[in-house]
PDB file of all heavy atoms in Angstrom:
ATOM      1  N   SER U  54      -2.548  -1.820  -8.408  1.00 96.00           N
ATOM      2  CA  SER U  54      -3.432  -2.479  -7.425  1.00 96.00           C
ATOM      3  C   SER U  54      -2.661  -2.813  -6.157  1.00 96.00           C
ATOM      4  O   SER U  54      -3.206  -2.762  -5.055  1.00 96.00           O
ATOM      5  CB  SER U  54      -4.088  -3.721  -8.029  1.00 96.00           C
ATOM      6  OG  SER U  54      -3.120  -4.710  -8.298  1.00 96.00           O
ATOM      7  N   GLU U  71     -10.741 -10.247 -17.282  1.00 97.00           N
ATOM      8  CA  GLU U  71     -11.489 -10.894 -16.192  1.00 97.00           C
ATOM      9  C   GLU U  71     -10.551 -11.777 -15.376  1.00 97.00           C
ATOM     10  O   GLU U  71     -10.616 -11.818 -14.145  1.00 97.00           O
ATOM     11  CB  GLU U  71     -12.665 -11.689 -16.756  1.00 97.00           C
ATOM     12  CG  GLU U  71     -13.833 -10.767 -17.124  1.00 97.00           C
ATOM     13  CD  GLU U  71     -14.869 -11.412 -18.030  1.00 97.00           C
ATOM     14  OE1 GLU U  71     -14.802 -12.639 -18.243  1.00 97.00           O
ATOM     15  OE2 GLU U  71     -15.731 -10.671 -18.533  1.00 97.00           O
ATOM     16  N   LYS U  72      -9.647 -12.483 -16.057  1.00 97.00           N
ATOM     17  CA  LYS U  72      -8.655 -13.310 -15.356  1.00 97.00           C
ATOM     18  C   LYS U  72      -7.748 -12.417 -14.492  1.00 97.00           C
ATOM     19  O   LYS U  72      -7.477 -12.735 -13.326  1.00 97.00           O
ATOM     20  CB  LYS U  72      -7.824 -14.087 -16.385  1.00 97.00           C
ATOM     21  CG  LYS U  72      -6.832 -15.058 -15.816  1.00 97.00           C
ATOM     22  CD  LYS U  72      -6.263 -15.939 -16.939  1.00 97.00           C
ATOM     23  CE  LYS U  72      -5.194 -16.878 -16.438  1.00 97.00           C
ATOM     24  NZ  LYS U  72      -3.912 -16.222 -16.226  1.00 97.00           N
ATOM     25  N   LEU U  73      -7.317 -11.301 -15.055  1.00 98.00           N
ATOM     26  CA  LEU U  73      -6.463 -10.374 -14.313  1.00 98.00           C
ATOM     27  C   LEU U  73      -7.213  -9.792 -13.111  1.00 98.00           C
ATOM     28  O   LEU U  73      -6.661  -9.712 -12.003  1.00 98.00           O
ATOM     29  CB  LEU U  73      -5.993  -9.255 -15.247  1.00 98.00           C
ATOM     30  CG  LEU U  73      -5.184  -8.126 -14.625  1.00 98.00           C
ATOM     31  CD1 LEU U  73      -3.910  -8.656 -13.974  1.00 98.00           C
ATOM     32  CD2 LEU U  73      -4.843  -7.076 -15.682  1.00 98.00           C
ATOM     33  N   ALA U  74      -8.460  -9.410 -13.319  1.00 98.00           N
ATOM     34  CA  ALA U  74      -9.251  -8.848 -12.213  1.00 98.00           C
ATOM     35  C   ALA U  74      -9.418  -9.874 -11.092  1.00 98.00           C
ATOM     36  O   ALA U  74      -9.328  -9.529  -9.908  1.00 98.00           O
ATOM     37  CB  ALA U  74     -10.614  -8.390 -12.722  1.00 98.00           C
ATOM     38  N   ASN U  75      -9.619 -11.135 -11.454  1.00 98.00           N
ATOM     39  CA  ASN U  75      -9.735 -12.185 -10.431  1.00 98.00           C
ATOM     40  C   ASN U  75      -8.444 -12.298  -9.635  1.00 98.00           C
ATOM     41  O   ASN U  75      -8.480 -12.427  -8.413  1.00 98.00           O
ATOM     42  CB  ASN U  75     -10.071 -13.532 -11.082  1.00 98.00           C
ATOM     43  CG  ASN U  75     -11.518 -13.608 -11.503  1.00 98.00           C
ATOM     44  OD1 ASN U  75     -12.364 -12.891 -10.958  1.00 98.00           O
ATOM     45  ND2 ASN U  75     -11.819 -14.461 -12.465  1.00 98.00           N
ATOM     46  N   GLU U  76      -7.315 -12.259 -10.330  1.00 97.00           N
ATOM     47  CA  GLU U  76      -6.014 -12.343  -9.648  1.00 97.00           C
ATOM     48  C   GLU U  76      -5.845 -11.171  -8.674  1.00 97.00           C
ATOM     49  O   GLU U  76      -5.392 -11.356  -7.544  1.00 97.00           O
ATOM     50  CB  GLU U  76      -4.866 -12.294 -10.676  1.00 97.00           C
ATOM     51  CG  GLU U  76      -4.695 -13.566 -11.474  1.00 97.00           C
ATOM     52  CD  GLU U  76      -3.658 -13.400 -12.594  1.00 97.00           C
ATOM     53  OE1 GLU U  76      -2.827 -12.469 -12.529  1.00 97.00           O
ATOM     54  OE2 GLU U  76      -3.706 -14.195 -13.534  1.00 97.00           O
ATOM     55  N   ILE U  77      -6.219  -9.978  -9.124  1.00 97.00           N
ATOM     56  CA  ILE U  77      -6.090  -8.784  -8.272  1.00 97.00           C
ATOM     57  C   ILE U  77      -7.003  -8.907  -7.053  1.00 97.00           C
ATOM     58  O   ILE U  77      -6.597  -8.643  -5.914  1.00 97.00           O
ATOM     59  CB  ILE U  77      -6.413  -7.510  -9.092  1.00 97.00           C
ATOM     60  CG1 ILE U  77      -5.295  -7.255 -10.110  1.00 97.00           C
ATOM     61  CG2 ILE U  77      -6.623  -6.305  -8.186  1.00 97.00           C
ATOM     62  CD1 ILE U  77      -5.600  -6.175 -11.135  1.00 97.00           C
ATOM     63  N   GLN U  78      -8.239  -9.351  -7.275  1.00 97.00           N
ATOM     64  CA  GLN U  78      -9.191  -9.480  -6.160  1.00 97.00           C
ATOM     65  C   GLN U  78      -8.744 -10.551  -5.174  1.00 97.00           C
ATOM     66  O   GLN U  78      -8.870 -10.383  -3.959  1.00 97.00           O
ATOM     67  CB  GLN U  78     -10.583  -9.782  -6.712  1.00 97.00           C
ATOM     68  CG  GLN U  78     -11.203  -8.574  -7.414  1.00 97.00           C
ATOM     69  CD  GLN U  78     -12.311  -8.927  -8.382  1.00 97.00           C
ATOM     70  OE1 GLN U  78     -12.671 -10.088  -8.530  1.00 97.00           O
ATOM     71  NE2 GLN U  78     -12.860  -7.932  -9.047  1.00 97.00           N
ATOM     72  N   GLU U  79      -8.196 -11.647  -5.691  1.00 97.00           N
ATOM     73  CA  GLU U  79      -7.726 -12.724  -4.799  1.00 97.00           C
ATOM     74  C   GLU U  79      -6.534 -12.265  -3.957  1.00 97.00           C
ATOM     75  O   GLU U  79      -6.287 -12.812  -2.884  1.00 97.00           O
ATOM     76  CB  GLU U  79      -7.358 -13.969  -5.621  1.00 97.00           C
ATOM     77  CG  GLU U  79      -8.581 -14.734  -6.080  1.00 97.00           C
ATOM     78  CD  GLU U  79      -8.275 -15.761  -7.163  1.00 97.00           C
ATOM     79  OE1 GLU U  79      -7.085 -16.015  -7.434  1.00 97.00           O
ATOM     80  OE2 GLU U  79      -9.245 -16.297  -7.732  1.00 97.00           O
ATOM     81  N   SER U  80      -5.836 -11.239  -4.439  1.00 95.00           N
ATOM     82  CA  SER U  80      -4.705 -10.681  -3.688  1.00 95.00           C
ATOM     83  C   SER U  80      -5.150  -9.550  -2.762  1.00 95.00           C
ATOM     84  O   SER U  80      -4.309  -8.868  -2.166  1.00 95.00           O
ATOM     85  CB  SER U  80      -3.644 -10.152  -4.651  1.00 95.00           C
ATOM     86  OG  SER U  80      -3.214 -11.172  -5.514  1.00 95.00           O
ATOM     87  N   GLY U  81      -6.461  -9.309  -2.705  1.00 95.00           N
ATOM     88  CA  GLY U  81      -6.978  -8.277  -1.801  1.00 95.00           C
ATOM     89  C   GLY U  81      -7.191  -6.931  -2.453  1.00 95.00           C
ATOM     90  O   GLY U  81      -7.539  -5.955  -1.775  1.00 95.00           O
ATOM     91  N   GLY U  82      -6.984  -6.848  -3.776  1.00 96.00           N
ATOM     92  CA  GLY U  82      -7.152  -5.582  -4.475  1.00 96.00           C
ATOM     93  C   GLY U  82      -8.563  -5.406  -5.023  1.00 96.00           C
ATOM     94  O   GLY U  82      -9.418  -6.283  -4.880  1.00 96.00           O
ATOM     95  N   LYS U  83      -8.779  -4.240  -5.616  1.00 97.00           N
ATOM     96  CA  LYS U  83     -10.082  -3.934  -6.204  1.00 97.00           C
ATOM     97  C   LYS U  83      -9.921  -3.749  -7.704  1.00 97.00           C
ATOM     98  O   LYS U  83      -9.071  -2.953  -8.148  1.00 97.00           O
ATOM     99  CB  LYS U  83     -10.663  -2.647  -5.600  1.00 97.00           C
ATOM    100  CG  LYS U  83     -11.068  -2.797  -4.142  1.00 97.00           C
ATOM    101  CD  LYS U  83     -11.690  -1.518  -3.641  1.00 97.00           C
ATOM    102  CE  LYS U  83     -12.082  -1.669  -2.184  1.00 97.00           C
ATOM    103  NZ  LYS U  83     -12.527  -0.389  -1.611  1.00 97.00           N
ATOM    104  N   ALA U  84     -10.752  -4.470  -8.484  1.00 98.00           N
ATOM    105  CA  ALA U  84     -10.682  -4.355  -9.940  1.00 98.00           C
ATOM    106  C   ALA U  84     -12.061  -4.562 -10.534  1.00 98.00           C
ATOM    107  O   ALA U  84     -12.839  -5.399 -10.058  1.00 98.00           O
ATOM    108  CB  ALA U  84      -9.709  -5.387 -10.507  1.00 98.00           C
TER     109      ALA U  84
END
Side-chain angles (χ1 to χ4, degrees):
S54 66
E71 282 164 10
K72 184 170 176 283
L73 175 59
N75 284 337
E76 286 173 20
I77 290 170
Q78 289 159 2
E79 283 166 10
S80 303
K83 291 183 180 172

